[in-house]
Amino acid sequence: MEPNSETPKFLKVNIEAARFRDLFDIYFSTNIKGSKDYIKLHHVNKKILERTTILFFSVLVQKSLKLYAKVLGLGYKFEVLINILFNGNILAQMLINKLQGKLPMLDKESEAYVSVIGCLDKRVDLDVKPDDSRYFPVLSAMASKIVYENKKFVEAAVKGQWKMELLGSYDFYNDDHKKNTTQALIFHDKHANPDMIIVAFRGTEPFDADAWCTDFDISWLSFPQMGKVHSGFMKALGLQEKDTWPKHIDNDDNPQCHESIKKKLSSLCFGNKDRRFPENSDDKLEDQKLYAYYTIRKVLRIMLNKNSKTKFIVTGHSLGGALAILFPAVLALHNENSILEKLEAVYTFGQPRVGNASFGRYMKKKFNEFDITYNRYVYNNDVVPRVPFDNSVLMFKHFGNCFLYDSHYVYKEITGELYENYFTFSPLAFMKRSMDATGKVVRSLMSPKRESSPLLFIRYLGILFWWAVDHNPQDYVNAVRLGKLPDIED
């Protein structure tokens, strides 16, 4: 029997079926039923049916994102603009084209072009050695940052800067959105002992409405083995139709797809002179409909079988952090013990909550069984690790070791939840956090290593929007590089 064969408990919100006028029905209802076109449920907590404010807010935000998707998409034009204004390599490229009599076109797929996140922090160098205790957290944080970039940038960073083997930079299919919405990077670090494969999931695309809808969706599934898990994150990882996790799918068993991956990996592992993927293959991997979990599992099986000492790390920022913790959860669901035995650690940065207390207990048991390190990093007032809510309605819970950093990158270790009343409005707390953000602006201006102009602008925005600005990857990179324990007074 497949692990998912039992009918799970669930709450499903179909945002496509919901209309704006349904918001009034949700908000003023005292007891939402599962008979509506836009909501389906099975054995859910009655409080979610009686306290509908959270459901109302979730539907409102998602409908608004869908309605203004094109407006949000204008952010990509802003990204182009800041590349032209603040990226000298891009400007030089356009001037050379002009002098050569060509159209001064901007190539978004060139290694010089960077995302908005890359414009804030262009660092790709690793300033730690493999024997440093910070090495893998720093490498994971950097991988979680560069996975936001285009494939040529990623290749230049991994192969050119880090001198490591790029095993793949992928776009994965999401059955919920009917398109590729999930990105991941896999590379092989042979400098470490033992050698390590890094799997890094990308976080939310800043200007993609569908990606933001995944974050604000409160739909969930509950499996007998795992507990309650956010279904939007599961869909991004590769959850199949009818909300199932079959151990194998058609593409997973497709010999053509399997051979395509093997050819690409063998070109890296067995002496292909220029170490590039074959370009003239008729069965290109990019032409397949790929799901993140199944494809990454296949790559790991192939690579881990090459060397018994090779291990791997899974990491990600934001949504990528959610996928990083769910990936080993599904491996455990499928009893993939031979792969879990090689999992060294999971490092997440600004990770949202992904499941309830039962899920946490399930994962702690599995991580203890396979001696897997799980470190969750939270920077200052970042809002994302505080959602979805851990209240009596949604009951999402964190688990494992949490390293909470303040604005000076001084950290304290917390087990489990962040015990603070983060969402209660307090003028004093707002002033304190705004003053904290003002201090970061002053330090940025006075620092001998001046931060980029776009990042300085973001620092100014943080005076009012500290809850969002503290989520940026560059502060997580700084945290694991510079983090220190607080001084202990005698």
Side-chain angles (χ1 to χ4, degrees), residues 139-259:
L139 179 58
S140 297
M142 291 297 293
S144 298
K145 183 171 78 77
I146 70 162
V147 73
Y148 282 93
E149 308 303 328
N150 67 61
K151 288 177 171 56
K152 287 185 179 178
F153 184 101
V154 167
E155 183 177 10
V158 173
K159 297 171 67 175
Q161 294 279 337
W162 302 347
K163 309 302 180 185
M164 299 177 189
E165 292 180 336
L166 179 61
L167 302 181
S169 183
Y170 299 96
D171 294 303
F172 293 117
Y173 193 74
N174 184 324
D175 267 335
D176 201 30
H177 298 303
K178 306 301 179 187
K179 63 180 183 179
N180 292 337
T181 64
T182 302
Q183 283 71 39
L185 161 68
I186 311 176
F187 61 94
H188 191 184
D189 176 11
K190 290 188 175 182
H191 306 302
N193 185 21
D195 60 302
M196 198 71 64
I197 293 170
I198 311 296
V199 178
F201 290 97
R202 195 193 70 179
T204 304
E205 180 70 36
F207 310 121
D208 186 341
D210 286 332
W212 283 109
C213 283
T214 295
D215 293 342
F216 283 97
D217 188 4
I218 62 169
S219 301
W220 53 262
L221 296 167
S222 181
F223 294 101
Q225 301 95 328
M226 271 202 303
K228 171 181 168 181
V229 184
H230 190 288
S231 63
F233 299 153
M234 284 286 218
K235 283 287 188 181
L237 189 61
L239 187 72
Q240 298 297 289
E241 293 181 2
K242 299 182 181 179
D243 297 331
T244 60
W245 272 118
K247 192 162 186 176
H248 299 285
I249 58 174
D250 290 342
N251 268 1
D252 185 54
D253 290 330
N254 186 336
Q256 185 182 46
C257 183
H258 184 72
E259 287 303 315

